[in-house]
Amino acid sequence: MSSLKNKPAFPFETIAVALAFSPRVEAMLAEACRMAVLYESRLIVIHVGKKSTETEHKMTELLSKLSIENISVIWREGSVADEVLNVCKSEEVDLLLLGALIKESMFKFYLGSIARTISRKAKCSILLYTEPQLKPKSFQRIVVSGVEHDKTKETIATAVYISIKEKVA
């Protein structure tokens, strides 16, 4: 059972995406919108950084390109990992989308310290995007870590749920 809502980890009622104004911001936002529409979920954009007229304008521009209604933006300042985790807890997020960088091979990818910290401490499902696309497509394969852990059965069940919704062969 999900420790936040005392229910299974899915269906995903609330999806969040942690965004920075990086070169991949538009692609991550496009992927998040696709997921929110597919899962008929509320979408939360989390941005940790100083809210200014300039950053608010950038965010408004990004969101204006989307055709999604059930979306909100939460601005926080402080430690990125801590604030993302705090928002996930307070908003009862079911699925958190994060960007991750590939380094070396497909089997050995690099997670920055922020993504690594969030992945270890989050009380919700996490989906790491290594190659977010501006024109997102359904997943063709899903990789799940099935280590011996109390949450492994729930993790595998969530992956099966995603693969059914995504129509992964």
Side-chain angles (χ1 to χ4, degrees), residues 48 78-87 113-115 117-118 121:
V48 180
S79 160
V80 175
D82 290 344
E83 292 306 320
V84 168
L85 290 167
N86 288 338
V87 170
S113 60
I114 293 169
T117 299
I118 292 170
K121 294 182 177 182

Side-chain angles (χ1 to χ4, degrees), residues 70-100:
N70 199 5
I71 187 169
S72 57
V73 179
I74 296 179
W75 298 81
R76 293 287 176 93
E77 289 187 44
S79 160
V80 175
D82 290 344
E83 292 306 320
V84 168
L85 290 167
N86 288 338
V87 170
C88 287
K89 183 177 180 181
S90 68
E91 297 296 322
E92 296 183 335
V93 170
D94 298 301
L95 177 64
L96 174 63
L97 311 178
L98 295 173

Side-chain angles (χ1 to χ4, degrees), residues 158-169:
T158 302
V160 169
Y161 168 72
I162 291 171
S163 67
I164 291 168
K165 291 291 276 187
E166 295 283 341
K167 298 182 171 101
V168 175

Side-chain angles (χ1 to χ4, degrees), residues 123-143:
K123 302 294 183 199
C124 62
S125 295
I126 296 178
L127 184 57
L128 298 172
Y129 281 87
T130 55
E131 296 179 24
Q133 303 294 310
L134 284 171
K135 294 183 180 180
K137 298 176 185 169
S138 291
F139 300 119
Q140 294 185 343
R141 64 179 173 262
I142 296 174
V143 178

Side-chain angles (χ1 to χ4, degrees), residues 16-29:
V17 59
L19 291 182
F21 292 114
S22 72
R24 301 187 326 162
V25 67
E26 287 186 64
M28 280 300 298
L29 196 50

